[in-house]
């Protein structure tokens, strides 16, 4: 492989674009749907949590693997720099808790 760094960068960008396309399509579909009944609100909370964790993974990967700036990450994911910063902070906190839990075992 001539350029492993370039390959990792390209994989990260392709993944981020794929997620952005999927998110865009899901938003179009959700706009057409009837609101969910209240008994399913817990499911929606779980879905929001899953999306939040996925965004944290993307931001951490783009920041630390692809070595992109917060502005670049925001452009790729279609979110503001402040959201990138906040998500990165939350991801670091979450990883810290996971590592602390692992030390206790």
């Amino acid at each position: 492989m001539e350029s492993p760094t370039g390959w990792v960068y390209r994989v990260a960008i392709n993944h981020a674009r794929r997620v952005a396309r999927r998110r865009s399509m899901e938003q179009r579909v959700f706009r057409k749907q009837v609101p969910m009944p209240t008994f399913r609100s817990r499911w929606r909370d779980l879905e929001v949590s899953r999306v939040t964790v996925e965004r944290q993974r993307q931001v951490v990967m783009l920041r630390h693997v692809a070595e992109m700036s917060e502005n670049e990450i925001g452009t790729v994911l279609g979110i503001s720099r402040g959201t990138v910063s906040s998500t990165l902070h939350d991801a670091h906190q979450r990883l810290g808790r996971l590592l602390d839990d692992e030390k206790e075992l």
Side-chain angles (χ1 to χ4, degrees), residues 20-33:
R21 280 193 305 268
R22 182 178 300 146
R23 185 182 313 131
S24 173
M25 188 265 313
E26 288 173 350
Q27 287 174 348
R28 285 192 307 266
V29 170
F30 284 136
R31 276 189 231 129
K32 294 178 184 178
Q33 291 182 345

Side-chain angles (χ1 to χ4, degrees), residues 66-103:
E67 298 179 351
M68 297 174 74
S69 70
E70 290 180 355
N71 287 331
E72 292 170 328
I73 295 169
T75 301
V76 168
L77 296 180
I79 56 179
S80 71
R81 192 212 56 82
T83 301
V84 171
S85 179
S86 170
T87 303
L88 194 56
H89 172 73
D90 293 344
H92 287 155
Q93 294 293 322
R94 184 171 180 268
L95 287 171
R97 285 192 305 272
L98 289 173
L99 290 173
D100 285 343
D101 290 346
E102 196 171 284
K103 283 181 186 177

